Amino acid sequence: VTPLEKHLKRRIALEGPMTVAGFMAEALTHPQHGYYVTRDPLGAAGDFITAPEISQVFGELVGLWLAEAWRQSGSPTTANLVELGPGRGTLMADILRVAKMMPGFEQAVSVHLVEASPPLRGKQREALGDRAVTWHDSLETVPDGPTFLIANEFFDALPIHQLMRTEEGWRERVVAVQDDDTLIFGLSPGASPLVSLVPPDVRDSAKPGEIFELSPVSIAIMRQICSRISTGGAALIIDYGHPESATGDTLQAVSNHEFADILAAPGSADITAHVDFEMLARAAREEAAVAFGPVAQGSLLTRLGIDVRRQQLSKRVAPAQAKAINSAIGRLIGPKEMGTLFKALAVLPAGAQTPPGFEEPA
Ligand SMILES: C[S@@+](CC[C@H](N)C(=O)[O-])C[C@H]1O[C@@H](n2cnc3c(N)ncnc32)[C@H](O)[C@@H]1O
């Protein structure tokens, strides 16, 4: 029994079954026993690997995108460069390296990292050397001003509620303790008030047994991002997820690069859910920002010139290394790997021009 499981059982004994969102928040970011708070989960020896850890080309192209967005917004002389959930700091290090290619950009930006994990803050410090950086628990404390923001595999870690359509109406999925003292999924006895947030077409068409996932925290953070960039800036959100709001149970646990039981050892496995990009784009529009995409990660990186970069890098190295570069890039853009499941959404102030790699909004 993990220390977090003990804590969750105590909480459930006192307060009753908890929502999936409550469970996810505790499992990932409980201040002593949360998964992210107690470890660096990335890399071959960890639990999972992310795009910036697969190839430097990912961060380089994201960096050029952000620098170009800065130029397109009039090259403000002071601006925030913000990353949500920066992992090991690899992506930000790659961004800052290519940022030097855009005259004035690197000097204009101050770097702000929103990170819940103390061990990962330590890794970020190492990755960024002596570059001045400010850490934040949330976006709220980042100073005002034009903001250029990247979030890669951040939204998938934010808590979701799971609402289930039953013959009796919509119920909320909860985590309870069963007789043998293990955790188990159950359903709330009454209707869930969150149903009013389910898009009407989904609410009307869902069949008994189907689940709709809803992340009010994601919507709130998206709104914060948009209200920030309404005075200048741009945000690029990359994650796995679906382009349109739909039913489906996407909650998953991953440990040691394999799927794991979600409830078996809370605090010791990563727990994520697919991002609902339609919901994020709608939140952006409600804040009077303009959302572009989502486009598939493979298409975005291809349009941003990943093939040219592949050729440049491959020219200077031995054949075995060129093969490794090729295979890493294949993982990022291959339709059966990360190229299609992962998607990118760009958010800009209303009236801004279309950012590189995206098309006019419909
Ligand atoms: C899946 S990792 C992605 C890391 C990095 N972006 C990358 O691509 O390698 C998720 C990151 O978000 C952070 N994180 C998760 N939940 C968070 C929260 N509620 N607030 C701040 N950071 C959070 C984690 O500590 C970690 O740095």
Side-chain angles (χ1 to χ4, degrees):
V1 176
T2 60
L4 188 73
E5 187 174 346
K6 271 195 205 146
H7 161 77
L8 291 174
K9 286 178 182 162
R10 263 199 310 270
R11 223 188 111 172
I12 292 169
L14 281 169
E15 299 169 13
M18 63 201 301
T19 63
V20 170
F23 171 79
M24 211 173 153
E26 293 268 53
L28 295 179
T29 53
H30 179 279
Q32 279 101 46
H33 310 306
Y35 174 75
Y36 278 112
V37 177
T38 51
R39 76 201 69 213
D40 166 12
L42 287 121
D47 291 323
F48 57 84
I49 188 146
T50 56
E53 303 294 333
I54 291 173
S55 168
Q56 69 185 70
V57 176
F58 180 82
E60 290 171 352
L61 295 176
V62 166
L64 292 174
W65 189 94
L66 290 164
E68 177 60 15
W70 171 81
R71 195 192 62 78
Q72 284 186 353
S73 70
S75 310
T77 50
T78 55
N80 300 315
L81 177 59
V82 179
E83 185 173 357
L84 305 182
R88 287 182 162 176
T90 310
L91 175 54
M92 186 51 81
D94 291 339
I95 291 171
L96 289 170
R97 198 177 56 252
V98 295
K100 294 187 170 60
M101 290 166 67
M102 175 69 77
F105 178 63
E106 209 217 345
Q107 297 74 11
V109 294
S110 53
V111 178
H112 297 274
L113 304 177
V114 176
E115 176 56 69
S117 164
L120 287 177
R121 285 187 182 197
K123 293 273 175 180
Q124 291 152 20
R125 177 74 285 160
E126 282 170 31
L128 297 172
D130 48 17
R131 169 87 208 196
V133 172
T134 313
W135 278 273
H136 302 265
D137 292 331
S138 76
L139 198 50
E140 271 150 54
T141 49
V142 173
D144 289 340
T147 294
F148 298 85
L149 180 145
I150 170 74
N152 184 60
E153 287 208 49
F154 171 75
F155 278 90
D156 66 60
L158 296 180
I160 55 144
H161 292 265
Q162 287 195 317
L163 304 174
M164 190 189 274
R165 175 79 222 226
T166 72
E167 298 287 359
E168 286 78 44
W170 288 89
R171 299 287 182 266
E172 177 153 8
R173 215 166 172 213
V174 293
V175 176
V177 180
Q178 58 187 340
D179 293 343
D180 69 359
D181 201 35
T182 54
L183 297 173
I184 186 175
F185 284 114
L187 286 181
S188 65
S192 170
L194 287 172
V195 179
S196 60
L197 296 176
V198 179
D201 52 329
V202 175
R203 210 184 315 155
D204 297 341
S205 63
K207 300 194 178 48
E210 286 189 335
I211 283 179
F212 184 74
E213 295 175 339
L214 187 70
S215 178
V217 174
S218 299
I219 296 171
I221 292 178
M222 195 62 193
R223 284 175 175 272
Q224 277 178 18
I225 293 173
C226 294
S227 84
R228 230 159 228 290
I229 62 166
S230 65
T231 54
L236 184 62
I237 288 148
I238 305 179
D239 225 308
Y240 48 115
H242 32 269
E244 282 164 9
S245 298
T247 55
D249 178 2
T250 73
L251 190 68
Q252 66 178 40
V254 166
S255 176
N256 201 9
H257 302 271
E258 307 221 330
F259 290 115
D261 187 314
I262 295 166
L263 299 179
S268 70
D270 189 27
I271 301 182
T272 61
H274 284 199
V275 170
D276 180 345
F277 281 101
E278 184 179 356
M279 197 69 98
L280 294 187
R282 184 176 318 130
R285 284 193 293 272
E286 282 166 6
E287 287 291 326
V290 53
F292 297 87
V295 298
Q297 173 170 298
S299 311
L300 177 70
L301 296 178
T302 302
R303 290 176 191 161
L304 295 180
I306 201 165
D307 281 326
V308 175
R309 192 70 189 118
R310 180 205 321 247
Q311 283 159 16
Q312 285 171 342
L313 284 173
S314 303
K315 251 191 239 156
R316 295 186 226 133
V317 297
Q321 252 177 304
K323 212 172 150 200
I325 292 169
N326 254 330
S327 114
I329 289 179
R331 279 181 77 180
L332 296 181
I333 63 173
K336 293 207 174 79
E337 303 201 53
M338 299 172 80
T340 308
L341 177 60
F342 281 73
K343 297 174 182 69
L345 183 78
V347 186
L348 284 94
Q353 68 186 98
T354 305
F358 289 84
E359 284 156 13
E360 290 293 314

